[in-house]
Amino acid sequence: MLVEVGRGQENASRWAVGEDRVAANRAWILRALHGSRHVTCTPDAPTDEP
């Protein structure tokens, strides 16, 4: 499964599940990979979990 969550968004905007769907969506996946190289996680970011 691959999921795209836009910058500043809390929910997935696109996803692909299974080899066939991942292959069919390869173009947006490759674009997202390139852009994710400079994205970092903020460990103290608020979550919805208690």
Side-chain angles (χ1 to χ4, degrees):
M1 171 186 247
L2 292 171
V3 178
E4 177 183 36
V5 179
R7 186 180 305 267
Q9 301 298 307
E10 294 183 13
N11 299 307
S13 56
R14 270 195 276 195
W15 53 90
V17 178
E19 291 182 34
D20 292 340
R21 297 290 299 160
V22 169
N25 289 280
R26 189 165 305 279
W28 73 260
I29 293 166
L30 292 175
R31 285 192 305 272
L33 285 174
H34 177 73
S36 70
R37 291 183 181 165
H38 305 289
V39 175
T40 59
C41 294
T42 306
D44 58 345
T47 66
D48 291 335
E49 296 180 27

